[in-house]
Amino acid sequence: MTDQTQDRIAALVKDADVLLFMKGTPLFPQCGFSSRAVAILQHLGVEFDSVDVLQDQEVRQGIKAFSDWPTIPQLYVKGEFVGGSDIMMEMYESGELAQLLADQGVTPA
């Protein structure tokens, strides 16, 4: 993985308030975990950007090194890594994810 790939990932993360690296797209998730992550964000009513890692092998491998997290999907809020779908689910159920989004100034659309 190249520095260029890391720079590209860093720019994507920096440019979006809420960014989900996922397999597939929000309309057509390509795995159950990505589907669950999209459903959580949609239920919270926040706008989010997504990156389909299946379209770019460099990003697919690079994001794992970037976050030091082995799996996809990965959620970023205001440049900070939040976690994968299991962590998102736990945070969603406890109300912690909605609170984090509110604390970061991300309000429902």
Side-chain angles (χ1 to χ4, degrees), residues 29 31 33 36 43-44 50 54 63 69-70 72 80 87 99:
C31 80
F33 297 110
R36 182 165 56 171
H43 192 82
L44 290 170
S50 66
L54 299 178
I63 190 61
W69 190 260
I72 310 269
E80 294 295 320
I87 290 172
Q99 187 62 53

Side-chain angles (χ1 to χ4, degrees), residues 22-43:
M22 63 180 291
K23 294 178 180 173
T25 65
L27 286 177
F28 296 104
Q30 297 295 309
C31 80
F33 297 110
S34 290
S35 181
R36 182 165 56 171
V38 167
I40 290 167
L41 292 172
Q42 288 175 337
H43 192 82

